[in-house]
Amino acid sequence: MTSVPVPRLRAAVVGLLATAAALGAGQLAAGLAAARTSPFVAVGNAAIDLTPGPVKEFAIALFGTADKTALLTGMGIVIAALAVAAGLLSRWHWWPGAAVIGVFGLVGVIATVSRPGGGLVAPLTSLVVGVVVFRWLHHVAGMAAIGPGTSTVEVDADRRRFLVTSTLVVLGAGAAGIAGGFLQRGAGVTASQAAVAARIPKVPPLPIPPGADFVASGTPTFLTANRDFYRIDTALVVPQLRAEDWRLRLHGMVRRELVLTFDDLIQRGLQNRLITLTCVSNEVGGDLISTAEFVGVPVRDLLLEAGVLPGAQQLFTTSVDSYTAGTPLDVLLEPDRGALLAVGMNGEPLPAEHGFPVRMVVPGLYGYVSATKWLVDAEVTTFDRAPYWEQRGWAQQAPIKTESRIDRPRAQASVPAGPVTVAGIAWAQHTGIDRVEVRADGGPWQPAELATDVSRDTWRMWRATIDLPPGEHVVECRATDRTGQPQTPQRQPVVPDGATGWHSVGFSCTG
Ligand SMILES: Nc1nc2c(c(=O)[nH]1)N[C@H]1C(S)=C(S)[C@@H](COP(=O)(O)O)O[C@H]1N2
Ligand SMILES: [Mo]
């Protein structure tokens, strides 16, 4: 206790540094305990889980795929503000600030313990370090009772002491945080991926016929490189799961429950499939769509091996970080659907971001009802059980809708008048694309040239040339699938089961 209050700036610094020390220590303890989540990340995940669906969609719409960065930044700001407040509350006594930090530490304990793989060690370390460092720094900050009569020598020595202590705390917290991050990342996944790469038999990759894309005219490449493949998930940090530690339990309404190791799984025989994956949150004209050659074990084979009991309706899959999805069993059991428990993507083991070591992929269904990454549990059950996004108002069944997108010209582009090349993609997974048409300025529709057909489960590129005079123009496109079903012009939002409408692009021609 000090007779003279700690100066405001110092008090704020005490709060900030004690909090930084708590977070750094928590990260290090999580790394040492091989926990899958640090307290900071666990609080972030809890925040995501507690956020109402509409707010989450708003955040995704606002920040796009940077939503996680936005959340972590937001959390950082809130935590820093609380830390400063804790410091300022403690200008006369150490305990109000320590209490704030303690309560916040308890929130961290609750959030971490309620996450799979969280553990108690890291958040408790955070709490204790936060309170102890606060008490200690507060003591150093208030050592010299600065008042009338304090000598300048004393003031100088005091200032130096506080500065040195603060610097030590900053360095310690930073080093602990960085070391903890390394320990968590180096949980052996890179080595495990190398081992998997050697164990995946070299199945000859499916040949992509020439002319499967119109890259020169502005479409994407037919296959999307793994690093460019769109990524959507609720995981704040990428789950680190080694193939050696992986187990899949296939259970529920089955005659015979299966528990498979990674080796058990791939011994059942791998198949290659070209699949275009699409996110239900893809807006008309959006880029949440990519194509890869997946290799894996047919889901149908595993279901037949386990023996699905009558009355079962969905396969309820769960990831190591508790994401859940429900896939209709009638789709998975179709003899030619080609749903896979994938272990590889474009000739490599799955990247960690895309579900290493095992994920599901189902041609023709949006990712949220089918493409569970870091898959560890599959329960054969009825539709009574609602998975993650269904609990938040999204549709239970979500076949991908026939859609098309214009990639060239880009919106607001300026191109020379005359013959203008319009190019893009169209998709109707598991049905296939039959026709794409384009028109300019509401004029007559004209057929586009289609790229070589590769598979009904993948996107199809198209291009057309339209003669345009100088001035402003709008082009539109529409696709028709192989059942003769045209893409609807009716605009629908992404909620609850995927956006529809024609994509249009405005640009200008210069004379
Ligand atoms: N574990 C887990 N799997 C998941 C998700 C998730 O949030 N967690 N999101 C799903 C959604 S909404 C989509 S669109 C696809 C995206 O897969 P990708 O990131 O490999 O493109 O993964 C699906 N699988
Ligand atoms: Mo998605």
Side-chain angles (χ1 to χ4, degrees):
M1 207 174 295
T2 49
S3 46
V4 177
V6 176
R8 268 193 200 85
L9 181 63
R10 270 193 195 196
V13 168
V14 169
L16 272 175
L17 293 192
T19 306
L23 292 175
Q27 187 84 34
L28 180 59
L32 289 173
R36 288 207 202 90
T37 27
S38 69
F40 183 68
V41 168
V43 170
N45 273 316
I48 292 185
D49 288 350
L50 295 176
T51 306
V55 178
K56 225 179 298 202
E57 275 127 41
F58 172 75
I60 292 171
L62 190 64
F63 299 111
T65 41
D67 57 343
K68 293 184 183 67
T69 318
L71 174 75
L72 291 175
T73 311
M75 271 176 60
I77 293 170
V78 169
I79 289 177
L82 279 168
V84 169
L88 291 179
L89 278 174
S90 279
R91 293 188 57 209
W92 288 271
H93 301 283
W94 66 272
W95 53 265
V100 169
I101 289 186
V103 167
F104 207 64
L106 271 182
V107 171
V109 170
I110 293 164
T112 314
V113 170
S114 60
R115 304 294 306 177
L120 196 62
V121 180
L124 271 185
T125 308
S126 254
L127 197 166
V128 172
V129 168
V131 172
V132 168
V133 170
F134 187 89
R135 170 82 182 92
W136 173 51
L137 266 182
H138 189 271
H139 173 74
V140 175
M143 274 221 292
I146 304 160
T150 315
S151 78
T152 47
V153 179
E154 261 181 307
V155 170
D156 269 357
D158 165 73
R159 188 172 290 150
R160 211 170 314 116
R161 196 162 39 234
F162 185 66
L163 217 77
V164 169
T165 316
S166 302
T167 310
L168 285 179
V169 171
V170 167
L171 291 179
I178 291 168
F182 265 113
L183 283 171
Q184 275 186 302
R185 255 191 299 284
V189 164
T190 315
S192 183
Q193 279 171 319
V196 167
R199 265 185 311 172
I200 299 179
K202 293 284 162 262
V203 199
L206 300 170
I208 308 293
D213 57 37
F214 290 139
V215 174
S217 303
T219 71
T221 52
F222 183 80
L223 286 181
T224 314
N226 287 355
R227 66 174 178 284
D228 298 329
F229 205 96
Y230 85 88
R231 178 188 164 200
I232 290 290
D233 52 60
T234 57
L236 258 192
V237 291
V238 178
Q240 306 287 311
L241 180 57
R242 303 190 319 158
E244 301 89 300
D245 303 329
W246 182 85
R247 296 284 180 283
L248 174 70
R249 184 162 166 245
L250 175 56
H251 62 113
M253 299 171 69
V254 292
R255 229 166 278 127
R256 191 167 85 91
E257 179 174 322
L258 298 179
V259 177
L260 303 177
T261 64
F262 190 78
D263 281 324
D264 294 339
L265 178 72
I266 62 177
Q267 266 159 26
R268 278 164 172 78
L270 296 175
Q271 286 186 9
N272 287 55
R273 288 249 160 202
L274 291 164
I275 299 171
T276 295
L277 205 63
T278 309
C279 183
V280 69
S281 296
N282 193 38
E283 304 281 352
V284 172
D287 59 3
L288 301 180
I289 177 166
S290 301
T291 301
E293 179 179 359
F294 290 95
V295 61
V297 176
V299 177
R300 182 170 187 268
D301 293 357
L302 294 169
L303 288 172
L304 293 181
E305 188 180 334
V308 173
L309 294 177
Q313 293 170 314
Q314 68 172 339
L315 187 64
F316 192 93
T317 50
T318 306
S319 73
V320 72
D321 66 336
S322 303
Y323 173 80
T324 55
T327 315
L329 280 165
D330 54 2
V331 172
L332 294 173
L333 288 169
E334 284 172 23
D336 58 355
R337 175 61 67 159
L340 294 178
L341 289 196
V343 297
M345 189 175 171
N346 291 329
E348 291 167 21
L350 290 177
E353 295 78 13
H354 297 289
F356 185 82
V358 180
R359 76 172 308 171
M360 194 154 88
V361 272
V362 184
L365 302 187
Y366 285 120
Y368 83 103
V369 291
S370 65
T372 304
K373 305 191 270 191
W374 314 291
L375 173 71
V376 292
D377 190 278
E379 183 183 350
V380 174
T381 181
T382 62
F383 283 132
D384 293 340
R385 198 158 170 214
Y388 189 88
W389 285 114
E390 207 190 302
Q391 287 171 27
R392 290 157 177 82
W394 295 72
Q396 177 194 76
Q397 312 239 356
I400 297 176
K401 296 174 178 178
T402 301
E403 267 294 321
S404 55
R405 178 184 86 189
I406 298 163
D407 289 313
R408 194 69 67 77
R410 300 244 165 242
Q412 265 98 57
S414 161
V415 298
V420 172
T421 299
V422 185
I425 57 177
W427 62 94
Q429 285 93 320
H430 212 59
T431 304
I433 289 293
D434 192 48
R435 190 161 73 241
V436 175
E437 296 157 292
V438 290
R439 69 173 180 187
D441 309 317
W445 289 100
Q446 69 173 73
E449 175 195 355
L450 290 179
T452 310
D453 185 31
V454 178
S455 139
R456 61 176 169 160
D457 293 333
T458 49
W459 55 17
R460 193 130 184 222
M461 315 293 181
W462 56 266
R463 68 180 169 197
T465 305
I466 312 182
D467 246 310
L468 292 173
E472 299 289 319
H473 299 286
V474 173
V475 285
E476 292 166 292
C477 64
R478 68 172 184 197
T480 303
D481 70 23
R482 288 215 181 115
T483 65
Q485 192 69 37
Q487 175 188 339
T488 174
Q490 225 138 52
R491 285 238 153 217
Q492 258 185 56
V494 294
V495 193
D497 61 358
T500 59
W502 290 337
H503 187 208
S504 64
V505 165
F507 60 100
S508 62
C509 286
T510 50

